[in-house]
Amino acid sequence: MATPSTSQKSLSSITIPPLTPPPQFTLYSHEVAPNPWKVIALLKELSLPYQVKNVDFMNKSEEFLDVQPNGRVPVLIDHNRNDKIVWESVAILLYLVEHYDPSRRLWFRDQDDITDAHQWMLFQVSNMGPYFCQKAWFANFHHEKLPSAIERFTNEINRVLAVMERVLGGQTSAAAAAGGKQRPLQWFVGDKYSIVDINLYPYLEMVPWLNGAYAFDNFPLVKAYIERVAGQKGIREAYKEKA
């Protein structure tokens, strides 16, 4: 009977690790852009595996432009659903809760709550995104200082914060309806943490950089709200990764 050679013995002792499947999602992102961090926070909140491809804004690849003709981040590719491509951060958040949050832990079943959630998500898109980013641009990156532009967008940020302070304080009929009576609100919709709050956080987190360290002094309820959101699992893990 033949005796196994030394090389055959060595080969037989090798343990081949199982192949690791690729992550379910690919996320095109950028380290400092606010919108991708909403998506990362939700992926972490739902414990969904993903890989990140950071985009060079100064040299956008054809690969990236093929999946996002508008050339903006984030973009999500869902490899478990025929490589479905979704772009625009709010659309991605809605897609993820539709397909991967069956218990609606971070979304809603009541139609009025859904309407209110859409309202606040569009508030972020139409008010926070443009004004906050324009303040960042004119205060930090524009080739010349334009005090009138900086003042305008500083004031707009304060106006947005005042709206949120009023609602969180239960000082509107909408807030009263959401809470059952006029009382301070913990969350903006349905008395629970949801993607509405995830969607707001990356812009609110920027406020001290945009408007100064004391920017929240006149908005204590907004400040307390941001601290509540910052303590949530997905946000906490996402911003630890960002750091």
Side-chain angles (χ1 to χ4, degrees):
M1 181 175 178
T3 302
S5 67
T6 302
S7 61
Q8 287 174 323
K9 289 180 180 178
S10 298
L11 286 173
S12 66
S13 66
I14 296 174
T15 301
I16 300 175
L19 293 175
T20 302
Q24 179 178 347
F25 298 95
T26 296
L27 178 69
Y28 287 87
S29 181
H30 189 273
E31 297 93 333
V32 300
N35 287 328
W37 295 100
K38 309 173 188 179
V39 178
I40 290 173
L42 181 56
L43 289 168
K44 289 183 176 295
E45 192 73 49
L46 296 173
S47 300
L48 295 171
Y50 65 94
Q51 62 181 348
V52 170
K53 291 188 176 183
N54 282 314
V55 175
D56 180 356
F57 283 164
M58 303 304 293
N59 187 26
K60 295 173 185 174
S61 68
E62 285 301 315
E63 174 197 350
F64 174 61
L65 293 174
D66 281 346
V67 298
Q68 170 41 313
N70 195 37
R72 298 290 186 267
V73 293
V75 182
L76 188 75
I77 302 177
D78 185 348
H79 301 298
N80 279 17
R81 300 192 68 252
N82 298 314
D83 288 340
K84 175 64 179 174
I85 298 169
V86 190
W87 40 271
E88 292 295 338
S89 60
V90 169
I92 295 172
L93 297 182
L94 291 168
Y95 173 87
L96 287 172
V97 292
E98 175 65 26
H99 292 285
Y100 299 104
D101 183 21
S103 69
R104 294 299 186 257
R105 179 169 63 89
L106 298 165
W107 191 233
F108 308 95
R109 298 188 188 279
D110 179 81
Q111 288 301 313
D112 285 345
D113 285 343
I114 291 171
T115 297
D116 290 344
H118 288 159
Q119 176 177 271
W120 277 106
M121 295 180 86
L122 290 171
F123 174 82
Q124 181 275 310
V125 170
S126 62
N127 289 272
M128 300 175 77
Y131 297 136
F132 287 42
C133 291
Q134 290 294 340
K135 171 63 189 291
W137 175 261
F138 281 106
N140 298 283
F141 307 113
H142 196 60
H143 66 277
E144 62 176 319
K145 290 295 182 184
L146 297 176
S148 60
I150 293 171
E151 180 183 10
R152 167 172 165 69
F153 294 115
T154 298
N155 291 340
E156 283 299 315
I157 291 172
N158 287 331
R159 182 190 65 78
V160 167
L161 295 176
V163 170
M164 301 178 80
E165 184 79 7
R166 182 176 175 84
V167 172
L168 287 170
Q171 298 173 33
T172 68
S173 58
K181 59 181 179 178
Q182 287 203 339
R183 62 178 172 83
L185 301 181
Q186 296 293 298
W187 311 107
F188 276 97
V189 178
D191 244 7
K192 74 173 189 178
Y193 178 69
S194 71
I195 63 169
V196 171
D197 308 293
I198 293 173
N199 187 54
L200 294 170
Y201 182 81
Y203 286 88
L204 293 173
E205 184 265 342
M206 293 167 58
V207 167
W209 176 61
L210 293 171
N211 275 18
Y214 303 103
F216 289 122
D217 282 4
N218 293 324
F219 310 105
L221 297 178
V222 177
K223 181 179 180 181
Y225 166 75
I226 295 168
E227 291 169 353
R228 284 194 295 278
V229 178
Q232 301 298 311
K233 172 184 179 291
I235 293 289
R236 190 174 64 248
E237 293 180 1
Y239 279 79
K240 182 179 179 180
E241 181 176 308
K242 183 180 182 183

